[in-house]
Amino acid sequence: MVQVERLFKDEATEEKGERARMASFIGAMAIADLVKTTLGPKGMDKILQSTGRGHSVTVTNDGATILKSLHIDNPAAKVLVEISKVQDDEVGDGTTSVVVLAGELLREAEKLVATKIHPMTIIAGFRMAAECAREALLKRVMDNKEDPEKFKADLMKIAMTTLSSKILSQDKKHFAKLAVDAVMRLKGSTNLESIQIIKKPGGSLIDSFLDEGFILDKKIGIGQPKRIENAKILVANTAMDTDKVKIYGARVRVDSMNRVAEIEAAEKEKMREKVQKILAHGINCFVNRQLIYNFPEELFADAGILAIEHADFDGIERLALVTGGDIASTFDNPESVKLGHCKLIEEIMIGEDKLIKFSGVEMGQACTIVLRGASNHVLDEAERSLHDALCVLSQTVNDSRVLLGGGWPEMVMAKAVDELARKTPGKKSHAIEAFSRALIAIPTIIADNAGLDSADLVARLRAEHHKEGSTAGIDVITGAVGDMAERGISEAFKVKQAVLLSATEAAEMILRVDEIITCAPRKREDRM
């Protein structure tokens, strides 16, 4: 008997057909179940504890943040983590929804595969259903771009809806206003760089405020002007430390103490020349990313110039962007360096700390949101929540289509998809029906997380939606079916569309898998 050659190396494993599919379904559903409890206004938070040094702890209910921190072995689960990341980068919110929807689609697909429907048939059905669901949403969008007052009200509603599932839900009105004001200043750009968020522990969340202008988390040096009007700012990244010979490994041999003094004097002279060059730009504020030693600081103070050192990279990049200057590192030709401008630089106090505020900056869009809170964990989570709201708002300013929230879009889509299933002949109709069941899972989970009777509520919601033009959704506050238009619960169309399409694509990708091949682990060689 001829020994059949083995295809794989020792210890490499392969799983075929059913088993492979089983593994992917289970992994994906496990991930979906993990973040499922964070969905909706009554969703719970997770504590993530790292195993690294310092055991840092994160408390969050932001889907993307939770999934990013997991170390996952299952390939299908990784696909879901990826889609949540993409959702976070693209539109900033809906990270939990997209994973939950993909998980539910796979849960339904698993049942279909068990009844011997081919995965390709299921995929074809899902595709038709997703397209149909998107059409249904498009028919029901509201667009108030023409009416600024209404549009601003829409933005407030969207911000409040986004924040209601986060830590900021208690003061959501306050924060929604902060976020809307900040985004309105951007005048339609989705570049959130010019909104800076500073976190200062102390005070409570409600003490957070929006400041027009740019705040740098630095103190003003000793003996320097505390207040400068019509500032001309030179933003630089250059070494301002005198007493080092800057060539590594350089050794200087001297035969007497006088020589040491001479070297020091030469160094000082070099520094003085550099400062002279900087002064030649005609500035009254110098911001440097690196250290500024006492001697140059003294020279700047004598010239009446405000010198700020160690403005870290984030700060300095933003400062250059906001004041309209360039970051300079050589100072030989002042005419080619673009200086930053602002009307006033002054020192302000927030809590215990002094900060420097640049107001009246070149780029009118810029502003700073100062977050206050009880502890760093609270602040971090507040920042994540606010970031979600800012992303969604900036996307909505561009694409001003708005939908109602609270499970309403899912019911609208489910209804349209159900109708499609009735019209479609053949096995595909099962897949389309399954898609509609997966959509309904989202309002079900929202109700479950609020501790309500989901089966009853969703059935009632479905009945409501059989009337034309219904605006019913789940009102988790009263625990009943409520009118979403009255409650002012809105979501951005762009977020919903991204959730729908990404989840369908991810589910499709996992469904297509019929074989998982795992490499053999690398062996350590004994190097003796």
Side-chain angles (χ1 to χ4, degrees), residues 214-216 218-220 308 345-346 355-358:
F214 184 87
I215 296 179
L216 192 63
K218 287 280 151 223
K219 295 185 180 59
I220 289 183
I308 303 169
I345 299 180
E346 57 187 342
L355 299 98
I356 306 171
K357 178 177 160 192
F358 297 78

Side-chain angles (χ1 to χ4, degrees), residues 354-385:
K354 290 183 176 171
L355 299 98
I356 306 171
K357 178 177 160 192
F358 297 78
S359 34
V361 289
E362 208 58 10
M363 196 163 137
Q365 299 108 308
C367 58
T368 301
I369 296 176
V370 179
L371 290 178
R372 309 300 311 276
S375 74
N376 282 328
H377 293 154
V378 174
L379 285 175
D380 289 344
E381 177 63 358
E383 182 187 22
R384 280 190 288 272
S385 315

Side-chain angles (χ1 to χ4, degrees), residues 235 318-326 338-341 361-363:
V235 186
R318 278 223 176 98
L319 185 63
L321 174 86
V322 167
T323 54
D326 290 339
K338 215 171 130 197
L339 296 182
H341 293 281
V361 289
E362 208 58 10
M363 196 163 137

Side-chain angles (χ1 to χ4, degrees), residues 2-3 5 93 103 119 140 152-153 160 259 263 268 282 339 351-352 370 393 437 451 455 507 524:
V2 187
Q3 181 75 39
E5 283 211 13
D93 195 23
R140 305 285 302 264
K152 195 161 183 193
M160 277 167 45
R259 288 294 162 84
I263 290 174
K268 247 182 166 168
L339 296 182
E352 304 289 296
V370 179
L393 289 173
R437 283 199 297 275
R524 282 204 180 141

Side-chain angles (χ1 to χ4, degrees), residues 247-258:
I247 306 158
Y248 290 106
R251 292 172 62 188
V252 183
R253 285 224 174 115
V254 286
D255 43 21
S256 71
M257 276 312 282
N258 297 352

